[in-house]
Amino acid sequence: MSQLEWRPLLVSDKQLLDRWARRFGSFAEATFVTLSLWNPIARCRIASCGDLVFIEHGGVEGTRVVTPLGGATPAAVSARVLLDAGYSLRYVPEPTIGYESREQWRSLALNLREEPEEFDYILDLTELATLQGNRFRGKRKRRNSFERLAGRPTFQQLDPSRPRVVSEVLGCARTWAAAAPTSASVTSTEIEGLEQLLGGGYSPHELGILTFGIYIDDGLVAFCVVETHGTPTVSGVCFKALRSWSGAAEYLRSASAVALLKLGYNRINIQQDLGIEGLRVMKQSYRPCSMHRKWAIDLAEMTTC
């Protein structure tokens, strides 16, 4: 593999990442909007070699990592070169690993480690829309209770190109963050990324995003942002519901699933749990229909006889 030529990630690269998603799946770290949400976009870089794509970005811990996206060209040799050059390879999608024999990785002294805390949760939108059956009984009751207590909540698709909508969404996100039980660093990073995403001058069309919200008495109490890729599966980039309204989160997910089904989508990737226990419990409670597996790649320890 020749020397990689890194360049800044651009909005136009969404087309490249969407093409990969259409072939192999919309893995979180391989989608433009998710990368934009969790990183100062100026710090994301991209490089290519043949039909291999490499994305350099920030991990949740603040470290710089490279995520290689494999295609028809074997990725093991490229991974070895990158590791020898000092790069950290993480969040590697299953197709990048699975389309080569494990023997090739081992022959290059590469160690493959699953990253279960980074697996993406894939939900069926029909199940999410109806919340039918005993396994969703609690969520269905909270959704219905919210609808009764809220009186006449208004669910609608939002236009994030309008400054008023952006202001309402960011205001709702900051109110949510003020009461969030998760780590302050993760919450702060997400809110800053959302502000960059919606206030960065991008159009919803070029980002491929859809935004939905719930209003009570003209006040936004919940919203979500999803990214489309030209596939039946969308990426759930950001879901926020004020904790002062019990059941708003369930109502938001169910109502947005109904809206997405009407637009022709059938699944949603709600991304990983980051190893946070509360986040894991919540995402598992929605009964994922499948998971997107990811890997870390390290140099294997050499043994001597």
Side-chain angles (χ1 to χ4, degrees):
M1 183 178 71
S2 59
Q3 182 73 23
L4 288 178
E5 295 186 3
W6 294 98
R7 62 171 178 78
L9 186 69
L10 305 173
V11 178
S12 57
D13 290 315
K14 175 173 168 56
Q15 298 178 19
L16 171 66
L17 296 177
D18 282 354
R19 284 198 298 272
W20 194 89
R22 286 193 288 272
R23 290 184 64 189
F24 302 112
S26 53
F27 287 72
E29 288 73 27
T31 65
F32 180 85
V33 174
T34 296
L35 286 166
S36 303
L37 184 70
W38 290 101
N39 300 267
I41 196 63
R43 293 191 63 203
C44 289
R45 300 196 302 168
I46 189 169
S48 61
C49 180
D51 67 345
L52 293 174
V53 175
F54 307 87
I55 303 169
E56 185 187 25
H57 57 99
V60 174
E61 303 87 351
T63 56
R64 301 297 295 170
V65 301
V66 170
T67 298
L69 307 180
T73 303
V77 174
S78 302
R80 175 75 206 209
V81 172
L82 288 168
L83 287 168
D84 285 339
Y87 289 98
S88 174
L89 304 186
R90 292 196 57 196
Y91 314 107
V92 182
E94 173 73 11
T96 301
I97 304 296
Y99 283 82
E100 299 180 32
S101 69
R102 297 297 194 270
E103 288 72 20
Q104 183 177 17
W105 295 91
R106 286 194 288 268
S107 70
L108 293 168
L110 297 176
N111 180 49
L112 306 178
R113 293 185 294 107
E114 281 192 326
E115 297 186 290
E117 71 279 5
E118 306 299 342
F119 287 4
D120 292 345
Y121 292 75
I122 312 300
L123 307 184
D124 183 284
L125 285 174
T126 299
E127 290 188 344
L128 197 57
T130 60
L131 295 178
Q132 292 299 307
N134 287 335
R135 60 180 182 163
F136 292 118
R137 181 180 179 185
K139 294 188 180 299
R140 188 169 64 250
K141 289 178 66 176
R142 285 190 290 274
R143 179 196 64 185
N144 296 344
S145 176
F146 166 78
E147 189 169 14
R148 288 194 303 271
L149 292 174
R152 291 180 176 272
T154 302
F155 173 84
Q156 64 186 67
Q157 184 170 343
L158 307 179
D159 181 359
S161 66
R162 299 175 60 187
R164 180 185 64 81
V165 169
V166 173
S167 177
E168 290 175 341
V169 167
L170 292 177
C172 184
R174 294 189 185 103
T175 301
W176 171 88
T182 53
S183 69
S185 60
V186 170
T187 300
S188 174
T189 298
E190 187 177 14
I191 300 305
E192 290 174 6
L194 186 63
E195 186 172 12
Q196 170 188 255
L197 186 66
L198 299 181
Y202 308 121
S203 73
H205 176 73
E206 64 183 339
L207 293 178
I209 62 172
L210 300 171
T211 308
F212 303 99
I214 300 171
Y215 288 88
I216 298 176
D217 297 331
D218 296 326
L220 186 67
V221 300
F223 73 90
C224 65
V225 178
V226 303
E227 180 183 8
T228 63
H229 313 285
T231 75
T233 301
V234 299
S235 295
V237 178
C238 186
F239 279 77
K240 297 289 174 277
L242 300 186
R243 290 173 177 80
S244 55
W245 283 99
S246 177
E250 288 80 4
Y251 187 90
L252 172 67
R253 289 193 182 275
S254 183
S256 59
V258 172
L260 289 167
L261 283 168
K262 290 179 180 178
L263 293 173
Y265 303 103
N266 59 28
R267 291 189 176 185
I268 184 168
N269 179 343
I270 61 170
Q271 306 185 359
Q272 61 267 66
D273 59 44
L274 305 174
I276 300 172
E277 184 177 357
L279 199 56
R280 179 185 299 114
V281 171
M282 182 276 288
K283 295 197 175 191
Q284 289 179 347
S285 72
Y286 278 100
R287 313 299 191 207
C289 59
S290 63
M291 305 287 285
H292 279 350
R293 301 164 70 200
K294 301 175 202 171
W295 302 74
I297 306 175
D298 304 306
L299 292 174
E301 293 185 7
M302 301 300 291
T303 60
T304 57
C305 299

